[in-house]
Amino acid sequence: MEQHSAPISQPSRRRPAPPQATLPRPTRQPRSRARPLARETAGGYRARQPARPTRSRSASMPPRLPRPRLTALGSGLLAVLLMMVFGGLDALLLGGSPAPYGCCFVLVSIATALWVRPADLLTAPIAAPIAFTTGLIFISDGSGSFGSRAMGLITALAMNAGWIYGGTVASLLTALVRKVLLVARRRAARRQGSAAA
């Protein structure tokens, strides 16, 4: 009998897979903390403008001098004190000349109107004649009794009425100019506030 011999199956040899080339992993770049150059808006992208260097106000502007603000009583006392000092110096150095005293009075009246606070602007012209009269005691003619001194003071006031009016008007005009400027600044500030709102 013929016996068919079944072919002996040999185990199949698998071919080894070719080695795959290993690709380098992409390195992760660190996130930059810089701000993006473009900002996303509803209509697209808008280029971001570089920030302009801002100058501090103190560096660009010179330092401002302190501006004192006096009350009505403080401005009146200052004017009286200054006119008494000028009157005494006028009597000692110039023999009681009314012209230098009047010039000093005009300057003191303007300075008082400049230094008084805005709430008491109208008191500066009122304090000016009082200060003039107080300092006039030193240069008025009159000696001895109280009556003669009072008559000398009244005579000096009558003789120097022009200086009194001049100093008072200068103080009044200075106060009015300050008041107008103050009102204009307030209106400008209100307009800017309403425009910003």
Side-chain angles (χ1 to χ4, degrees), residues 50-145:
R52 297 179 180 177
T54 57
R55 297 180 180 178
S56 61
R57 188 174 182 181
S58 60
S60 61
M61 297 181 62
R64 300 178 66 180
L65 296 176
R67 296 187 297 177
R69 288 290 177 257
L70 301 175
T71 60
L73 181 59
S75 62
L77 290 177
L78 178 63
V80 168
L81 180 62
L82 290 177
M83 292 313 299
M84 289 179 67
V85 171
F86 289 143
L89 292 177
D90 190 8
L92 290 176
L93 303 176
L94 302 175
S97 178
Y101 181 78
C103 293
C104 293
F105 170 67
V106 174
L107 294 178
V108 168
S109 300
I110 295 174
T112 304
L114 287 175
W115 284 349
V116 71
R117 63 182 183 178
D120 299 327
L121 280 175
L122 296 180
T123 60
I126 299 174
I130 300 173
F132 185 88
T133 305
T134 306
L136 198 63
I137 296 174
F138 295 95
I139 62 174
S140 62
D141 296 330
S143 59
S145 63

